[in-house]
Amino acid sequence: MKNDNDIFLAMSGYALINIDEFDAMSDSQQPILKYLLSKHDVKMRPPYGKVMEQRQRYASFIATTNNLRPLTDPTGSRRFVCVYADNIDNRGRLGHNQIFAQLLHELEQGQRYWLTDKENERLMAENVHFQQVSDYQSMISLTFLPADETPDDAPFIPLSDVIDIIMQQFPTFVLTNNARIELGKALKALGYQAKRVTSGMLYQLTKW
């Protein structure tokens, strides 16, 4: 979509707009998306039209990403329902006609289609797991059990393995020259057991 008019046409003419590679959106684009997600109607001049028209917004948005933590704005996370798909099974056939018939029936019966304040709070709490994190202590806390909950028989693993595990959880994590030092300091500050061996430091950790 090249301009606002294209977006507004799609929002008033389609039921679903798919965004591929959601994490490829720049930080400046995400506030615009948040704005669009909250609009109930759109004002636009249709192609070859001479005056502005106000049209109802019909489209919902769906997006895909390989990034396990694509959300950048904590205050806007209530607008997203994040679902982790471990695998996708395309073998079955969905009864789309029946799904749409059920949806239409529920709307005609006046069923609630919006979230309550309590449901919004729950959604934001669940979306914390999909929020981008930049500081080392937060990344460690979201990846491993707290130090006081780590079993006594948990294995000691080298820092290189710790980094590999964290990079799997946080694809946007950039390994800098000081990352090993900073991670070591963060693990110590969080109270994890450590021991020195010939090859370097080992840390007693257990993944969530």
Side-chain angles (χ1 to χ4, degrees):
M1 300 181 185
K2 298 179 181 179
N3 51 52
D4 288 352
N5 223 45
D6 287 348
I7 296 174
F8 293 155
L9 275 172
M11 291 177 64
S12 61
Y14 294 111
L16 193 64
I17 297 174
N18 179 49
I19 304 173
D20 287 321
E21 300 300 333
F22 176 79
D23 57 310
M25 295 185 68
S26 66
D27 291 342
S28 62
Q29 290 175 313
Q30 292 217 17
I32 299 173
L33 177 61
K34 187 171 75 170
Y35 162 73
L36 294 174
L37 290 173
S38 62
K39 288 186 68 66
H40 296 287
D41 51 54
V42 294
K43 292 180 180 179
M44 50 166 286
R45 190 178 69 174
Y48 308 108
K50 294 183 179 180
V51 296
M52 298 291 289
E53 294 183 6
Q54 182 167 319
R55 296 185 179 183
Q56 185 174 347
R57 171 263 181 94
Y58 294 105
S60 295
F61 288 82
I62 189 172
T64 59
T65 175
N66 290 323
N67 186 350
L68 296 178
R69 295 182 178 274
L71 301 182
T72 60
D73 179 9
T75 61
S77 67
R78 65 182 179 86
R79 293 175 172 85
F80 299 92
V81 179
C82 297
V83 179
Y84 174 70
D86 188 39
N87 59 75
I88 300 175
D89 184 357
N90 292 319
R91 293 174 298 177
R93 296 186 63 183
L94 294 176
H96 287 96
N97 290 338
Q98 184 58 42
I99 292 174
F100 292 130
Q102 179 180 340
L103 174 61
L104 178 60
H105 174 74
E106 291 182 357
L107 287 173
E108 289 176 341
Q109 294 298 311
Q111 292 289 332
R112 177 171 57 86
Y113 58 86
W114 60 90
L115 298 179
T116 64
D117 290 342
K118 187 174 182 179
E119 288 169 337
N120 273 321
E121 291 176 6
R122 176 185 171 188
L123 181 61
M124 291 183 67
E126 292 177 351
N127 280 346
V128 168
H129 302 290
F130 299 93
Q131 197 76 40
Q132 286 189 14
V133 179
S134 57
D135 66 284
Y136 294 118
Q137 287 199 21
S138 295
M139 286 190 284
I140 292 168
S141 298
L142 290 168
T143 305
F144 301 101
L145 288 174
D148 57 357
E149 296 180 20
T150 301
D152 294 336
D153 59 350
F156 282 80
I157 61 176
L159 191 58
S160 58
D161 288 357
V162 177
I163 292 174
D164 288 341
I165 294 171
I166 287 178
M167 291 187 71
Q168 290 175 11
Q169 297 294 317
F170 301 90
T172 56
F173 173 55
V174 178
L175 187 63
T176 63
N177 293 332
N178 295 326
R180 294 178 181 277
I181 298 174
E182 296 300 324
L183 272 173
K185 290 180 179 178
L187 287 164
K188 182 178 180 181
L190 291 170
Y192 289 98
Q193 295 294 319
K195 63 181 180 181
R196 183 179 295 277
V197 296
T198 306
S199 58
M201 295 296 295
L202 301 178
Y203 296 89
Q204 191 177 36
L205 299 166
T206 300
K207 286 184 64 177
W208 282 100

